[in-house]
């Protein structure tokens, strides 16, 4: 495919016009030590204003702090424990998450259901931490994890998977 410089220039102009000065753009540093926050942020980010995602992350951090834990180092086990402690994904959505569905499809499950589903699948694959996720790159088994992620409700496209990898600072992901 040949690069059309006129298209690139038009896109650049539109980005500056619509997004404003790049110096003011939000840049996430991710959660290099918290697979729990990577999952939460990536799932809650789709179809939402990022401030609502930050609110969910803040509530999770506050809940974990009340428990004497540290959300910034949580893996899937800690995330699953919070879901169990609160009475399941539905109650977790009320206390920590929000009541947003995974898609616009009628009767789509809540995003909290996808969070719980993904955390459980990753635990089953022995991917409990961001270190274990990043290690999968070196063993060429990351595709297995991706396939499991994409079977969670509303995650078939893989968009949240790609974003979670960025948040976990998996090498080579942009």
């Amino acid at each position: 495919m040949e690069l059309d410089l006129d298209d690139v220039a038009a896109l650049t102009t539109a980005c500056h016009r619509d997004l404003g000065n790049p110096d003011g753009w939000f840049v996430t540093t991710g959660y290099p030590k918290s697979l729990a926050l990577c999952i939460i942020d990536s799932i809650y980010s789709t179809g939402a204003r990022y401030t609502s995602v930050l609110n969910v992350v803040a509530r999770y951090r506050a809940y974990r702090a009340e428990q004497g834990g540290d959300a910034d180092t949580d893996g899937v086990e800690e995330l699953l424990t919070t879901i169990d402690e609160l009475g399941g994904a539905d109650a977790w959505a009320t206390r920590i998450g929000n009541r947003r569905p995974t898609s616009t499809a009628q009767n789509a499950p809540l995003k909290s259901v996808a969070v719980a589903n993904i955390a459980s699948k990753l635990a089953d694959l022995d991917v409990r931490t961001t270190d274990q996720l990043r290690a999968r790159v070196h063993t060429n088994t990351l595709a297995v994890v991706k396939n499991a992620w994409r079977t969670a409700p509303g995650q078939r496209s893989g968009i949240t998977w790609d974003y979670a990898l960025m948040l976990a600072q998996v090498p080579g992901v942009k």
Side-chain angles (χ1 to χ4, degrees):
M1 180 178 178
E2 194 172 317
L3 183 63
D4 184 335
L5 295 180
D6 289 337
D7 288 344
V8 172
L11 177 60
T12 301
T13 299
C15 286
H16 284 285
R17 180 192 67 234
D18 296 344
L19 301 175
N21 184 345
D23 293 337
W25 296 354
F26 174 77
V27 178
T28 183
T29 57
Y31 312 101
K33 296 181 181 178
S34 178
L35 189 51
L37 291 178
C38 292
I39 295 168
I40 293 166
D41 189 316
S42 66
I43 297 303
Y44 278 90
S45 289
T46 55
R49 292 185 185 268
Y50 199 66
T51 53
S52 70
V53 177
L54 294 176
N55 291 335
V56 173
V57 168
R59 286 190 296 269
Y60 182 79
R61 282 184 167 135
Y63 181 81
R64 289 293 292 131
E66 290 169 12
Q67 309 261 306
D70 181 3
D72 290 302
T73 59
D74 279 0
V76 295
E77 300 294 343
E78 293 83 0
L79 177 55
L80 289 168
T81 297
T82 67
I83 293 167
D84 288 342
E85 287 171 349
L86 293 172
D90 191 72
W92 191 91
T94 300
R95 171 81 187 265
I96 294 173
N98 57 38
R99 312 275 317 154
R100 298 199 188 267
T102 54
S103 74
T104 58
Q106 189 173 17
N107 299 318
L110 296 175
K111 289 184 178 194
S112 60
V113 171
V115 166
N117 185 287
I118 289 167
S120 180
K121 289 174 187 293
L122 295 184
D124 290 346
L125 292 170
D126 200 29
V127 177
R128 292 175 167 80
T129 67
T130 53
D131 284 340
Q132 290 173 335
L133 179 63
R134 287 187 293 268
R136 290 296 184 116
V137 172
H138 305 295
T139 63
N140 295 319
T141 58
L142 197 58
V144 172
V145 183
K146 177 182 182 177
N147 290 337
W149 182 292
R150 291 181 62 219
T151 64
Q155 309 313 308
R156 186 175 47 221
S157 74
I159 292 170
T160 60
W161 164 254
D162 291 338
Y163 186 46
L165 293 180
M166 288 173 42
L167 294 171
Q169 297 182 354
V170 172
V173 178
K174 296 182 182 190

